[in-house]
mmCIF file of all heavy atoms in Angstrom:
data_model
loop_
_atom_site.group_PDB
_atom_site.id
_atom_site.type_symbol
_atom_site.label_atom_id
_atom_site.label_comp_id
_atom_site.label_asym_id
_atom_site.label_seq_id
_atom_site.Cartn_x
_atom_site.Cartn_y
_atom_site.Cartn_z
ATOM 1 N N MET T 20 0.860 -1.181 0.008
ATOM 2 C CA MET T 20 -0.017 -0.023 -0.013
ATOM 3 C C MET T 20 0.884 1.260 0.029
ATOM 4 O O MET T 20 1.778 1.346 0.747
ATOM 5 C CB MET T 20 -0.908 -0.031 1.255
ATOM 6 C CG MET T 20 -1.748 1.207 1.409
ATOM 7 S SD MET T 20 -3.094 1.404 0.292
ATOM 8 C CE MET T 20 -4.157 0.092 0.825
ATOM 9 N N PHE T 21 0.574 2.168 -0.863
ATOM 10 C CA PHE T 21 1.267 3.469 -0.931
ATOM 11 C C PHE T 21 0.334 4.467 -0.314
ATOM 12 O O PHE T 21 -0.834 4.539 -0.652
ATOM 13 C CB PHE T 21 1.559 3.807 -2.407
ATOM 14 C CG PHE T 21 2.185 5.166 -2.541
ATOM 15 C CD1 PHE T 21 3.533 5.340 -2.438
ATOM 16 C CD2 PHE T 21 1.415 6.278 -2.859
ATOM 17 C CE1 PHE T 21 4.119 6.615 -2.625
ATOM 18 C CE2 PHE T 21 1.939 7.514 -2.991
ATOM 19 C CZ PHE T 21 3.299 7.693 -2.839
ATOM 20 N N ARG T 22 0.868 5.269 0.609
ATOM 21 C CA ARG T 22 0.027 6.326 1.249
ATOM 22 C C ARG T 22 0.804 7.646 1.239
ATOM 23 O O ARG T 22 1.993 7.690 1.605
ATOM 24 C CB ARG T 22 -0.329 5.919 2.669
ATOM 25 C CG ARG T 22 -1.211 4.722 2.699
ATOM 26 C CD ARG T 22 -1.637 4.203 4.025
ATOM 27 N NE ARG T 22 -1.107 4.933 5.142
ATOM 28 C CZ ARG T 22 -1.683 4.910 6.324
ATOM 29 N NH1 ARG T 22 -2.717 4.218 6.574
ATOM 30 N NH2 ARG T 22 -1.127 5.606 7.301
ATOM 31 N N LEU T 23 0.088 8.692 0.859
ATOM 32 C CA LEU T 23 0.658 10.023 0.779
ATOM 33 C C LEU T 23 -0.187 10.937 1.604
ATOM 34 O O LEU T 23 -1.421 11.029 1.478
ATOM 35 C CB LEU T 23 0.679 10.570 -0.672
ATOM 36 C CG LEU T 23 1.356 11.850 -0.984
ATOM 37 C CD1 LEU T 23 2.859 11.767 -0.742
ATOM 38 C CD2 LEU T 23 1.073 12.284 -2.406
ATOM 39 N N TRP T 24 0.448 11.647 2.561
ATOM 40 C CA TRP T 24 -0.316 12.522 3.504
ATOM 41 C C TRP T 24 -0.196 13.972 3.000
ATOM 42 O O TRP T 24 0.935 14.503 2.849
ATOM 43 C CB TRP T 24 0.337 12.375 4.885
ATOM 44 C CG TRP T 24 -0.393 12.989 6.034
ATOM 45 C CD1 TRP T 24 -1.617 13.514 6.048
ATOM 46 C CD2 TRP T 24 0.144 13.123 7.336
ATOM 47 N NE1 TRP T 24 -1.924 13.935 7.303
ATOM 48 C CE2 TRP T 24 -0.838 13.737 8.136
ATOM 49 C CE3 TRP T 24 1.376 12.818 7.930
ATOM 50 C CZ2 TRP T 24 -0.647 14.036 9.465
ATOM 51 C CZ3 TRP T 24 1.548 13.071 9.297
ATOM 52 C CH2 TRP T 24 0.569 13.714 10.010
ATOM 53 N N GLY T 25 -1.314 14.640 2.812
ATOM 54 C CA GLY T 25 -1.331 16.000 2.412
ATOM 55 C C GLY T 25 -1.818 16.862 3.538
ATOM 56 O O GLY T 25 -2.858 16.555 4.183
ATOM 57 N N LYS T 26 -1.130 17.971 3.833
ATOM 58 C CA LYS T 26 -1.492 18.805 4.977
ATOM 59 C C LYS T 26 -1.426 20.269 4.605
ATOM 60 O O LYS T 26 -0.464 20.675 3.894
ATOM 61 C CB LYS T 26 -0.488 18.551 6.159
ATOM 62 C CG LYS T 26 -0.478 17.130 6.642
ATOM 63 C CD LYS T 26 0.593 16.917 7.702
ATOM 64 C CE LYS T 26 1.875 16.579 6.983
ATOM 65 N NZ LYS T 26 2.973 16.149 7.858
ATOM 66 N N ILE T 27 -2.284 21.078 5.065
ATOM 67 C CA ILE T 27 -2.322 22.520 4.859
ATOM 68 C C ILE T 27 -2.045 23.208 6.156
ATOM 69 O O ILE T 27 -2.734 22.867 7.150
ATOM 70 C CB ILE T 27 -3.649 22.988 4.216
ATOM 71 C CG1 ILE T 27 -3.739 22.531 2.763
ATOM 72 C CG2 ILE T 27 -3.760 24.507 4.260
ATOM 73 C CD1 ILE T 27 -4.976 22.973 2.030
ATOM 74 N N PHE T 28 -1.118 24.125 6.172
ATOM 75 C CA PHE T 28 -0.725 24.875 7.409
ATOM 76 C C PHE T 28 -0.888 26.385 7.203
ATOM 77 O O PHE T 28 -0.613 26.881 6.138
ATOM 78 C CB PHE T 28 0.702 24.612 7.735
ATOM 79 C CG PHE T 28 0.997 23.217 8.275
ATOM 80 C CD1 PHE T 28 1.309 22.183 7.360
ATOM 81 C CD2 PHE T 28 1.015 22.981 9.636
ATOM 82 C CE1 PHE T 28 1.566 20.927 7.851
ATOM 83 C CE2 PHE T 28 1.299 21.719 10.098
ATOM 84 C CZ PHE T 28 1.575 20.669 9.195
ATOM 85 N N ARG T 29 -1.263 27.007 8.263
ATOM 86 C CA ARG T 29 -1.265 28.482 8.346
ATOM 87 C C ARG T 29 -0.762 28.853 9.746
ATOM 88 O O ARG T 29 -1.253 28.361 10.741
ATOM 89 C CB ARG T 29 -2.610 29.103 8.100
ATOM 90 C CG ARG T 29 -2.508 30.601 8.091
ATOM 91 C CD ARG T 29 -3.819 31.394 7.851
ATOM 92 N NE ARG T 29 -4.776 30.615 7.107
ATOM 93 C CZ ARG T 29 -6.104 30.659 7.414
ATOM 94 N NH1 ARG T 29 -6.561 31.372 8.395
ATOM 95 N NH2 ARG T 29 -6.960 29.959 6.691
ATOM 96 N N GLN T 30 0.248 29.695 9.827
ATOM 97 C CA GLN T 30 0.853 30.106 11.083
ATOM 98 C C GLN T 30 1.262 28.903 11.942
ATOM 99 O O GLN T 30 0.945 28.866 13.131
ATOM 100 C CB GLN T 30 -0.041 31.052 11.839
ATOM 101 C CG GLN T 30 -0.307 32.343 11.061
ATOM 102 C CD GLN T 30 -1.261 33.248 11.746
ATOM 103 O OE1 GLN T 30 -1.951 32.864 12.696
ATOM 104 N NE2 GLN T 30 -1.391 34.459 11.245
ATOM 105 N N ASN T 31 1.899 27.938 11.294
ATOM 106 C CA ASN T 31 2.375 26.707 11.954
ATOM 107 C C ASN T 31 1.279 25.891 12.596
ATOM 108 O O ASN T 31 1.502 25.123 13.527
ATOM 109 C CB ASN T 31 3.486 26.987 12.981
ATOM 110 C CG ASN T 31 4.766 27.441 12.298
ATOM 111 O OD1 ASN T 31 5.074 26.944 11.230
ATOM 112 N ND2 ASN T 31 5.485 28.369 12.871
ATOM 113 N N ARG T 32 0.041 26.059 12.133
ATOM 114 C CA ARG T 32 -1.088 25.257 12.626
ATOM 115 C C ARG T 32 -1.632 24.477 11.480
ATOM 116 O O ARG T 32 -1.864 24.945 10.380
ATOM 117 C CB ARG T 32 -2.116 26.131 13.219
ATOM 118 C CG ARG T 32 -1.622 26.814 14.455
ATOM 119 C CD ARG T 32 -2.655 27.462 15.244
ATOM 120 N NE ARG T 32 -1.970 28.044 16.373
ATOM 121 C CZ ARG T 32 -2.582 28.631 17.337
ATOM 122 N NH1 ARG T 32 -3.887 28.780 17.320
ATOM 123 N NH2 ARG T 32 -1.902 29.192 18.339
ATOM 124 N N LEU T 33 -1.951 23.200 11.755
ATOM 125 C CA LEU T 33 -2.519 22.318 10.782
ATOM 126 C C LEU T 33 -4.025 22.689 10.596
ATOM 127 O O LEU T 33 -4.739 22.697 11.566
ATOM 128 C CB LEU T 33 -2.425 20.878 11.262
ATOM 129 C CG LEU T 33 -3.029 19.789 10.335
ATOM 130 C CD1 LEU T 33 -2.288 19.737 9.037
ATOM 131 C CD2 LEU T 33 -2.984 18.453 11.029
ATOM 132 N N LEU T 34 -4.382 23.061 9.374
ATOM 133 C CA LEU T 34 -5.785 23.404 9.111
ATOM 134 C C LEU T 34 -6.562 22.199 8.565
ATOM 135 O O LEU T 34 -7.715 22.025 8.991
ATOM 136 C CB LEU T 34 -5.824 24.564 8.112
ATOM 137 C CG LEU T 34 -5.180 25.877 8.466
ATOM 138 C CD1 LEU T 34 -5.352 26.906 7.348
ATOM 139 C CD2 LEU T 34 -5.813 26.456 9.721
ATOM 140 N N LYS T 35 -5.933 21.510 7.655
ATOM 141 C CA LYS T 35 -6.640 20.383 6.983
ATOM 142 C C LYS T 35 -5.574 19.308 6.664
ATOM 143 O O LYS T 35 -4.453 19.642 6.448
ATOM 144 C CB LYS T 35 -7.285 20.788 5.678
ATOM 145 C CG LYS T 35 -8.339 21.874 5.725
ATOM 146 C CD LYS T 35 -8.813 22.135 4.351
ATOM 147 C CE LYS T 35 -9.720 23.378 4.290
ATOM 148 N NZ LYS T 35 -10.110 23.697 2.885
ATOM 149 N N ASP T 36 -6.068 18.080 6.658
ATOM 150 C CA ASP T 36 -5.170 17.014 6.176
ATOM 151 C C ASP T 36 -6.018 15.925 5.561
ATOM 152 O O ASP T 36 -7.209 15.796 5.852
ATOM 153 C CB ASP T 36 -4.281 16.514 7.300
ATOM 154 C CG ASP T 36 -4.995 15.688 8.317
ATOM 155 O OD1 ASP T 36 -6.148 16.023 8.713
ATOM 156 O OD2 ASP T 36 -4.408 14.697 8.818
ATOM 157 N N VAL T 37 -5.389 15.104 4.710
ATOM 158 C CA VAL T 37 -6.027 14.020 4.050
ATOM 159 C C VAL T 37 -4.912 13.002 3.679
ATOM 160 O O VAL T 37 -3.802 13.382 3.442
ATOM 161 C CB VAL T 37 -6.808 14.482 2.793
ATOM 162 C CG1 VAL T 37 -5.893 14.982 1.750
ATOM 163 C CG2 VAL T 37 -7.677 13.389 2.244
ATOM 164 N N VAL T 38 -5.278 11.777 3.656
ATOM 165 C CA VAL T 38 -4.372 10.734 3.246
ATOM 166 C C VAL T 38 -4.852 10.072 2.006
ATOM 167 O O VAL T 38 -5.984 9.610 1.898
ATOM 168 C CB VAL T 38 -4.178 9.627 4.371
ATOM 169 C CG1 VAL T 38 -3.319 8.496 3.856
ATOM 170 C CG2 VAL T 38 -3.614 10.283 5.649
ATOM 171 N N TYR T 39 -3.967 10.033 0.992
ATOM 172 C CA TYR T 39 -4.233 9.357 -0.299
ATOM 173 C C TYR T 39 -3.667 7.986 -0.244
ATOM 174 O O TYR T 39 -2.519 7.759 0.189
ATOM 175 C CB TYR T 39 -3.642 10.164 -1.438
ATOM 176 C CG TYR T 39 -3.548 9.398 -2.753
ATOM 177 C CD1 TYR T 39 -4.675 9.311 -3.544
ATOM 178 C CD2 TYR T 39 -2.355 8.824 -3.145
ATOM 179 C CE1 TYR T 39 -4.615 8.622 -4.728
ATOM 180 C CE2 TYR T 39 -2.265 8.144 -4.346
ATOM 181 C CZ TYR T 39 -3.383 8.057 -5.166
ATOM 182 O OH TYR T 39 -3.347 7.371 -6.362
ATOM 183 N N GLU T 40 -4.455 6.965 -0.620
ATOM 184 C CA GLU T 40 -3.964 5.601 -0.661
ATOM 185 C C GLU T 40 -4.113 5.027 -2.066
ATOM 186 O O GLU T 40 -5.095 5.282 -2.788
ATOM 187 C CB GLU T 40 -4.841 4.720 0.273
ATOM 188 C CG GLU T 40 -4.720 5.143 1.715
ATOM 189 C CD GLU T 40 -5.570 4.269 2.644
ATOM 190 O OE1 GLU T 40 -6.365 3.440 2.139
ATOM 191 O OE2 GLU T 40 -5.433 4.436 3.867
ATOM 192 N N ASN T 41 -3.079 4.214 -2.406
ATOM 193 C CA ASN T 41 -3.061 3.588 -3.718
ATOM 194 C C ASN T 41 -2.422 2.207 -3.571
ATOM 195 O O ASN T 41 -1.284 2.087 -3.115
ATOM 196 C CB ASN T 41 -2.249 4.403 -4.712
ATOM 197 C CG ASN T 41 -2.360 3.906 -6.170
ATOM 198 O OD1 ASN T 41 -2.375 2.705 -6.368
ATOM 199 N ND2 ASN T 41 -2.443 4.802 -7.092
ATOM 200 N N SER T 42 -3.151 1.158 -3.974
ATOM 201 C CA SER T 42 -2.613 -0.177 -3.894
ATOM 202 C C SER T 42 -2.337 -0.844 -5.241
ATOM 203 O O SER T 42 -2.116 -2.006 -5.347
ATOM 204 C CB SER T 42 -3.580 -1.067 -3.088
ATOM 205 O OG SER T 42 -4.847 -1.102 -3.737
ATOM 206 N N ASP T 43 -2.359 -0.003 -6.290
ATOM 207 C CA ASP T 43 -2.111 -0.505 -7.674
ATOM 208 C C ASP T 43 -0.616 -0.777 -7.819
ATOM 209 O O ASP T 43 0.186 0.147 -7.918
ATOM 210 C CB ASP T 43 -2.561 0.552 -8.663
ATOM 211 C CG ASP T 43 -2.463 0.078 -10.117
ATOM 212 O OD1 ASP T 43 -1.928 -1.057 -10.313
ATOM 213 O OD2 ASP T 43 -2.914 0.816 -11.007
ATOM 214 N N SER T 44 -0.276 -2.034 -7.903
ATOM 215 C CA SER T 44 1.147 -2.411 -8.015
ATOM 216 C C SER T 44 1.726 -2.165 -9.406
ATOM 217 O O SER T 44 2.900 -2.324 -9.645
ATOM 218 C CB SER T 44 1.358 -3.852 -7.543
ATOM 219 O OG SER T 44 0.566 -4.688 -8.405
ATOM 220 N N ASN T 45 0.846 -1.876 -10.361
ATOM 221 C CA ASN T 45 1.330 -1.632 -11.761
ATOM 222 C C ASN T 45 1.872 -0.222 -11.961
ATOM 223 O O ASN T 45 2.549 0.040 -12.889
ATOM 224 C CB ASN T 45 0.181 -1.858 -12.764
ATOM 225 C CG ASN T 45 -0.244 -3.296 -12.736
ATOM 226 O OD1 ASN T 45 0.562 -4.231 -12.617
ATOM 227 N ND2 ASN T 45 -1.545 -3.569 -12.938
ATOM 228 N N LEU T 46 1.562 0.696 -11.056
ATOM 229 C CA LEU T 46 2.059 2.063 -11.127
ATOM 230 C C LEU T 46 3.391 2.196 -10.430
ATOM 231 O O LEU T 46 3.614 1.594 -9.372
ATOM 232 C CB LEU T 46 1.060 3.064 -10.488
ATOM 233 C CG LEU T 46 -0.318 3.243 -11.142
ATOM 234 C CD1 LEU T 46 -1.150 4.186 -10.338
ATOM 235 C CD2 LEU T 46 -0.123 3.722 -12.573
ATOM 236 N N ASN T 47 4.290 3.007 -11.030
ATOM 237 C CA ASN T 47 5.541 3.234 -10.335
ATOM 238 C C ASN T 47 5.345 4.336 -9.284
ATOM 239 O O ASN T 47 4.309 4.977 -9.220
ATOM 240 C CB ASN T 47 6.673 3.557 -11.337
ATOM 241 C CG ASN T 47 6.447 4.881 -12.074
ATOM 242 O OD1 ASN T 47 5.756 5.772 -11.605
ATOM 243 N ND2 ASN T 47 7.012 4.982 -13.280
ATOM 244 N N ARG T 48 6.392 4.600 -8.492
ATOM 245 C CA ARG T 48 6.301 5.549 -7.396
ATOM 246 C C ARG T 48 5.958 6.953 -7.878
ATOM 247 O O ARG T 48 5.151 7.654 -7.287
ATOM 248 C CB ARG T 48 7.619 5.550 -6.635
ATOM 249 C CG ARG T 48 7.618 6.472 -5.435
ATOM 250 C CD ARG T 48 8.977 6.335 -4.712
ATOM 251 N NE ARG T 48 8.902 6.882 -3.406
ATOM 252 C CZ ARG T 48 9.426 8.103 -3.100
ATOM 253 N NH1 ARG T 48 10.019 8.821 -4.007
ATOM 254 N NH2 ARG T 48 9.367 8.532 -1.855
ATOM 255 N N THR T 49 6.608 7.384 -8.941
ATOM 256 C CA THR T 49 6.365 8.723 -9.457
ATOM 257 C C THR T 49 4.894 8.945 -9.845
ATOM 258 O O THR T 49 4.327 9.956 -9.508
ATOM 259 C CB THR T 49 7.322 8.950 -10.679
ATOM 260 O OG1 THR T 49 8.642 8.781 -10.264
ATOM 261 C CG2 THR T 49 7.121 10.400 -11.192
ATOM 262 N N LYS T 50 4.325 7.971 -10.532
ATOM 263 C CA LYS T 50 2.933 8.094 -10.911
ATOM 264 C C LYS T 50 2.046 8.091 -9.694
ATOM 265 O O LYS T 50 1.018 8.797 -9.711
ATOM 266 C CB LYS T 50 2.517 6.944 -11.878
ATOM 267 C CG LYS T 50 3.207 7.117 -13.264
ATOM 268 C CD LYS T 50 2.785 6.107 -14.202
ATOM 269 C CE LYS T 50 3.445 6.308 -15.546
ATOM 270 N NZ LYS T 50 3.053 5.339 -16.563
ATOM 271 N N LYS T 51 2.382 7.360 -8.679
ATOM 272 C CA LYS T 51 1.594 7.355 -7.462
ATOM 273 C C LYS T 51 1.652 8.717 -6.744
ATOM 274 O O LYS T 51 0.658 9.215 -6.239
ATOM 275 C CB LYS T 51 2.035 6.235 -6.542
ATOM 276 C CG LYS T 51 1.648 4.885 -7.019
ATOM 277 C CD LYS T 51 2.143 3.800 -6.127
ATOM 278 C CE LYS T 51 1.819 2.443 -6.642
ATOM 279 N NZ LYS T 51 2.317 1.332 -5.772
ATOM 280 N N VAL T 52 2.846 9.306 -6.741
ATOM 281 C CA VAL T 52 3.007 10.607 -6.087
ATOM 282 C C VAL T 52 2.213 11.674 -6.894
ATOM 283 O O VAL T 52 1.431 12.458 -6.225
ATOM 284 C CB VAL T 52 4.476 11.009 -6.059
ATOM 285 C CG1 VAL T 52 4.631 12.499 -5.630
ATOM 286 C CG2 VAL T 52 5.256 10.131 -5.057
ATOM 287 N N TYR T 53 2.308 11.664 -8.177
ATOM 288 C CA TYR T 53 1.509 12.652 -8.946
ATOM 289 C C TYR T 53 0.009 12.438 -8.842
ATOM 290 O O TYR T 53 -0.757 13.389 -8.709
ATOM 291 C CB TYR T 53 1.936 12.653 -10.438
ATOM 292 C CG TYR T 53 3.249 13.308 -10.673
ATOM 293 C CD1 TYR T 53 4.313 12.679 -11.273
ATOM 294 C CD2 TYR T 53 3.467 14.625 -10.299
ATOM 295 C CE1 TYR T 53 5.511 13.298 -11.531
ATOM 296 C CE2 TYR T 53 4.652 15.268 -10.502
ATOM 297 C CZ TYR T 53 5.725 14.604 -11.145
ATOM 298 O OH TYR T 53 6.876 15.203 -11.340
ATOM 299 N N ALA T 54 -0.410 11.185 -8.863
ATOM 300 C CA ALA T 54 -1.847 10.876 -8.695
ATOM 301 C C ALA T 54 -2.291 11.273 -7.278
ATOM 302 O O ALA T 54 -3.405 11.875 -7.138
ATOM 303 C CB ALA T 54 -2.145 9.388 -8.941
ATOM 304 N N GLY T 55 -1.499 11.072 -6.294
ATOM 305 C CA GLY T 55 -1.788 11.447 -4.945
ATOM 306 C C GLY T 55 -1.922 12.936 -4.791
ATOM 307 O O GLY T 55 -2.864 13.465 -4.169
ATOM 308 N N LEU T 56 -0.922 13.690 -5.385
ATOM 309 C CA LEU T 56 -1.041 15.154 -5.305
ATOM 310 C C LEU T 56 -2.270 15.676 -5.985
ATOM 311 O O LEU T 56 -2.921 16.589 -5.487
ATOM 312 C CB LEU T 56 0.256 15.755 -5.897
ATOM 313 C CG LEU T 56 0.359 17.269 -5.839
ATOM 314 C CD1 LEU T 56 0.282 17.774 -4.426
ATOM 315 C CD2 LEU T 56 1.640 17.723 -6.519
ATOM 316 N N THR T 57 -2.619 15.093 -7.111
ATOM 317 C CA THR T 57 -3.870 15.484 -7.825
ATOM 318 C C THR T 57 -5.091 15.302 -6.959
ATOM 319 O O THR T 57 -5.945 16.167 -6.821
ATOM 320 C CB THR T 57 -4.005 14.705 -9.152
ATOM 321 O OG1 THR T 57 -2.863 15.016 -9.993
ATOM 322 C CG2 THR T 57 -5.262 15.065 -9.883
ATOM 323 N N GLU T 58 -5.195 14.105 -6.344
ATOM 324 C CA GLU T 58 -6.293 13.801 -5.479
ATOM 325 C C GLU T 58 -6.360 14.734 -4.235
ATOM 326 O O GLU T 58 -7.448 15.149 -3.828
ATOM 327 C CB GLU T 58 -6.302 12.314 -5.034
ATOM 328 C CG GLU T 58 -6.636 11.367 -6.128
ATOM 329 C CD GLU T 58 -8.077 11.489 -6.602
ATOM 330 O OE1 GLU T 58 -8.944 11.597 -5.802
ATOM 331 O OE2 GLU T 58 -8.266 11.434 -7.859
ATOM 332 N N ILE T 59 -5.212 14.911 -3.658
ATOM 333 C CA ILE T 59 -5.144 15.792 -2.503
ATOM 334 C C ILE T 59 -5.590 17.225 -2.842
ATOM 335 O O ILE T 59 -6.456 17.835 -2.147
ATOM 336 C CB ILE T 59 -3.735 15.799 -1.906
ATOM 337 C CG1 ILE T 59 -3.457 14.443 -1.201
ATOM 338 C CG2 ILE T 59 -3.526 16.975 -0.936
ATOM 339 C CD1 ILE T 59 -2.004 14.217 -0.850
ATOM 340 N N CYS T 60 -5.113 17.712 -3.973
ATOM 341 C CA CYS T 60 -5.527 19.084 -4.363
ATOM 342 C C CYS T 60 -7.009 19.153 -4.696
ATOM 343 O O CYS T 60 -7.684 20.136 -4.373
ATOM 344 C CB CYS T 60 -4.677 19.554 -5.542
ATOM 345 S SG CYS T 60 -2.976 19.922 -5.076
ATOM 346 N N MET T 61 -7.536 18.104 -5.296
ATOM 347 C CA MET T 61 -8.979 18.086 -5.561
ATOM 348 C C MET T 61 -9.768 18.085 -4.301
ATOM 349 O O MET T 61 -10.772 18.827 -4.169
ATOM 350 C CB MET T 61 -9.372 16.841 -6.423
ATOM 351 C CG MET T 61 -8.961 16.999 -7.871
ATOM 352 S SD MET T 61 -9.287 15.527 -8.900
ATOM 353 C CE MET T 61 -10.960 15.127 -8.481
ATOM 354 N N GLY T 62 -9.326 17.343 -3.304
ATOM 355 C CA GLY T 62 -9.997 17.319 -1.997
ATOM 356 C C GLY T 62 -9.925 18.666 -1.259
ATOM 357 O O GLY T 62 -10.872 19.021 -0.568
ATOM 358 N N PHE T 63 -8.880 19.417 -1.463
ATOM 359 C CA PHE T 63 -8.725 20.696 -0.848
ATOM 360 C C PHE T 63 -9.246 21.839 -1.712
ATOM 361 O O PHE T 63 -9.183 23.024 -1.339
ATOM 362 C CB PHE T 63 -7.267 20.998 -0.486
ATOM 363 C CG PHE T 63 -6.686 20.168 0.628
ATOM 364 C CD1 PHE T 63 -5.330 19.839 0.631
ATOM 365 C CD2 PHE T 63 -7.470 19.700 1.629
ATOM 366 C CE1 PHE T 63 -4.798 19.065 1.621
ATOM 367 C CE2 PHE T 63 -6.939 18.925 2.669
ATOM 368 C CZ PHE T 63 -5.544 18.626 2.665
ATOM 369 N N ASP T 64 -9.752 21.531 -2.891
ATOM 370 C CA ASP T 64 -10.215 22.496 -3.871
ATOM 371 C C ASP T 64 -9.147 23.485 -4.257
ATOM 372 O O ASP T 64 -9.313 24.719 -4.155
ATOM 373 C CB ASP T 64 -11.478 23.202 -3.363
ATOM 374 C CG ASP T 64 -12.156 24.022 -4.495
ATOM 375 O OD1 ASP T 64 -12.065 23.610 -5.677
ATOM 376 O OD2 ASP T 64 -12.880 24.976 -4.128
ATOM 377 N N LEU T 65 -7.963 22.976 -4.597
ATOM 378 C CA LEU T 65 -6.806 23.781 -4.967
ATOM 379 C C LEU T 65 -6.363 23.427 -6.392
ATOM 380 O O LEU T 65 -6.545 22.293 -6.861
ATOM 381 C CB LEU T 65 -5.592 23.444 -4.072
ATOM 382 C CG LEU T 65 -5.570 23.813 -2.647
ATOM 383 C CD1 LEU T 65 -4.313 23.267 -1.998
ATOM 384 C CD2 LEU T 65 -5.540 25.348 -2.543
ATOM 385 N N GLN T 66 -5.697 24.367 -7.013
ATOM 386 C CA GLN T 66 -5.034 24.049 -8.244
ATOM 387 C C GLN T 66 -3.784 23.243 -7.889
ATOM 388 O O GLN T 66 -3.303 23.336 -6.724
ATOM 389 C CB GLN T 66 -4.603 25.316 -9.007
ATOM 390 C CG GLN T 66 -3.470 26.040 -8.343
ATOM 391 C CD GLN T 66 -2.933 27.160 -9.123
ATOM 392 O OE1 GLN T 66 -3.659 27.865 -9.817
ATOM 393 N NE2 GLN T 66 -1.618 27.340 -9.065
ATOM 394 N N GLU T 67 -3.262 22.397 -8.788
ATOM 395 C CA GLU T 67 -2.023 21.674 -8.496
ATOM 396 C C GLU T 67 -0.833 22.655 -8.504
ATOM 397 O O GLU T 67 -0.709 23.493 -9.403
ATOM 398 C CB GLU T 67 -1.814 20.579 -9.558
ATOM 399 C CG GLU T 67 -2.761 19.437 -9.289
ATOM 400 C CD GLU T 67 -2.402 18.282 -10.215
ATOM 401 O OE1 GLU T 67 -1.230 17.822 -10.235
ATOM 402 O OE2 GLU T 67 -3.328 17.823 -10.947
#
């Protein structure tokens, strides 16, 4: 299982966080990181 933790901070305080999980063994690490960042940004309603 690959897990990427996304966190948003303001003034050293955690405002929001989310964990992206991917168990697809066919994807390499780089693709999992980019897919995770995309999902995290979508969840936070941010541009990448």
